[in-house]
Amino acid sequence: MQAAWLLGALVVPQLLGCSHGAQEADREWEGGWGGAQEEEREREALMLKHLQEALGLPAGGGDENPEGTSEGKGALGAEEDGLEEAEEEEATPTLSSSPSPSPTPEDTVTYILGRLAGLDAGLHQLHVRLHALDTRVVELTRGLRQLREAAGDTRDAVQALQEAQSRTEREHGRLEGCLKGVRLGHKCFLLSRDFEAQAAAQARCASRGGSLAQPADRPQMEALSRYLRGALAPYNWPVWLGVHDRRAEGLYLFENGQRVSFFAWHRAPRPEPGAAPHPLSPNQPNGGALENCVAQASDDGSWWDHDCERRLYYVCEFPF
């Protein structure tokens, strides 16, 4: 028995300290509610409970008023629950029903100034980008101008090369005409065995530095006749000359625009008395408005008018 009391004397102070610490923690957690009497009663009940557990005594032996204790604990728990519910009710309406503060004029001005500052920053970035774009456009314009200048120089160079090539071809054609053809005074004649219309034949002769043959007098006509007869014998081929009346019917001109003063038109042979004229050898010219270009026969050198679109041999003349 003395040992039990001694154990109780040793354990009770520790239990009282623990219970006091627990009660202080509970009182701090509960917010300091409850009176001193309730705290003392609860402390005594807790000390008694721990002492009974330590001494191994029955739980009901030292509990003089269990019902009162239960009632006290029940009242205490009910009071704690009521306080918690009251705190929750007070907190909930406070959070839900607290009105948001209305903006003051200073807040409105600050908001407007902030938005204006943001717009100003955006405009500044836009100006920077526009400046960069303008700089790029200037560079591209300068590069395009340089490309145009280079293209113009290249075009001029190509044109100069084409002109030089044309001069070279004309000079080459002139030399070839005088070397391969026949020379008469200050001009040379060269026969081409390509079939061309009269206008195309004139263009071919001009590209080689000459023009279609323009015999201006009898000596040139006779020299050209001998040349064509020797080149095409024993056949008789019509050959384009540079003579036409396209401008006006009956007005015969050379390709250089000079009027023709010497003609060598074909004349039909005199028929025997009582015989009809030869149908294939009529007097020339006889084509009217349908035949406006002149070709020379290679056998006798006579002139015949033909349709200008007919494809014939042609003879070019070149200055010497």
Side-chain angles (χ1 to χ4, degrees), residues 66-112:
E67 294 179 359
T69 304
S70 300
E71 291 177 358
K73 289 182 180 181
L76 182 60
E79 186 176 359
E80 291 178 358
D81 295 339
L83 289 175
E84 291 178 358
E85 292 178 358
E87 289 178 358
E88 291 178 358
E89 290 178 357
E90 291 178 358
T92 301
T94 302
L95 294 176
S96 61
S97 63
S98 60
S100 60
S102 59
T104 62
E106 290 78 3
D107 296 336
T108 304
V109 172
T110 303
Y111 172 76
I112 293 174

Side-chain angles (χ1 to χ4, degrees), residues 192 194-196 199-210 314 316 318:
S192 176
D194 296 327
F195 291 101
E196 296 288 352
Q202 168 61 22
R204 293 284 296 274
C205 291
S207 67
R208 300 176 63 184
Y314 58 93
C316 299
F318 304 93

Side-chain angles (χ1 to χ4, degrees), residues 144-166:
L144 181 60
R145 187 184 303 111
Q146 293 176 356
L147 287 176
R148 287 179 177 175
E149 293 175 356
D153 296 340
T154 304
R155 184 169 53 252
D156 295 340
V158 170
Q159 185 176 359
L161 289 175
Q162 290 177 348
E163 292 177 355
Q165 182 180 4
S166 298

Side-chain angles (χ1 to χ4, degrees), residues 81-295:
D81 295 339
L83 289 175
E84 291 178 358
E85 292 178 358
E87 289 178 358
E88 291 178 358
E89 290 178 357
E90 291 178 358
T92 301
T94 302
L95 294 176
S96 61
S97 63
S98 60
S100 60
S102 59
T104 62
E106 290 78 3
D107 296 336
T108 304
V109 172
T110 303
Y111 172 76
I112 293 174
L113 292 177
R115 294 299 302 270
L116 290 176
L119 291 175
D120 184 69
L123 288 175
H124 177 70
Q125 294 180 358
L126 182 60
H127 289 162
V128 171
R129 294 182 180 180
L130 287 176
H131 177 70
L133 181 61
D134 185 66
T135 303
R136 183 59 177 168
V137 169
V138 171
E139 293 177 355
L140 291 176
T141 303
R142 187 183 301 112
L144 181 60
R145 187 184 303 111
Q146 293 176 356
L147 287 176
R148 287 179 177 175
E149 293 175 356
D153 296 340
T154 304
R155 184 169 53 252
D156 295 340
V158 170
Q159 185 176 359
L161 289 175
Q162 290 177 348
E163 292 177 355
Q165 182 180 4
S166 298
R167 290 194 300 269
T168 303
E169 290 179 354
R170 289 195 297 269
E171 185 66 19
H172 179 267
R174 186 183 68 83
L175 295 175
E176 183 181 22
C178 291
L179 291 175
K180 294 183 178 180
V182 58
R183 176 187 172 187
L184 180 62
H186 61 280
K187 64 174 59 176
C188 304
F189 297 108
L190 178 64
L191 173 67
S192 176
R193 296 175 184 267
D194 296 327
F195 291 101
E196 296 288 352
Q198 201 269 353
Q202 168 61 22
R204 293 284 296 274
C205 291
S207 67
R208 300 176 63 184
S211 66
L212 284 174
Q214 305 172 116
D217 51 28
R218 184 172 293 276
Q220 293 183 15
M221 183 65 190
E222 291 177 354
L224 182 59
S225 298
R226 290 192 300 268
Y227 171 61
L228 294 178
R229 189 182 306 114
L232 297 176
Y235 304 103
N236 180 23
W237 291 97
V239 179
W240 284 126
L241 299 178
V243 180
H244 62 84
D245 64 343
R246 288 190 295 260
R247 183 177 300 179
E249 181 63 26
L251 178 62
Y252 289 92
L253 303 174
F254 289 121
E255 289 294 337
N256 59 10
Q258 294 180 0
R259 187 168 182 173
V260 179
S261 58
F262 172 80
F263 298 93
W265 294 113
H266 173 75
R267 293 293 180 248
R270 288 177 179 269
E272 296 180 0
H278 197 287
L280 299 180
S281 182
N283 292 333
Q284 298 294 317
N286 67 338
L290 299 178
E291 298 177 348
N292 296 319
C293 295
V294 177

Side-chain angles (χ1 to χ4, degrees), residues 16 19 22-24 26-27 30 33-50 69 72-73 76-77 80:
L16 290 176
S19 63
Q23 185 65 31
E24 290 294 332
D26 293 338
R27 185 167 59 251
E30 293 174 357
W33 56 272
Q37 188 174 4
E38 285 80 3
E39 294 176 0
E40 186 65 20
R41 187 183 298 110
E42 184 179 357
R43 187 183 304 111
E44 290 177 358
L46 187 60
M47 290 172 57
L48 181 60
K49 179 181 179 180
H50 287 306
T69 304
K73 289 182 180 181
L76 182 60
E80 291 178 358

Side-chain angles (χ1 to χ4, degrees), residues 1-9 55:
M1 190 67 179
Q2 294 179 355
W5 283 107
L6 180 60
L7 181 60
L55 297 177

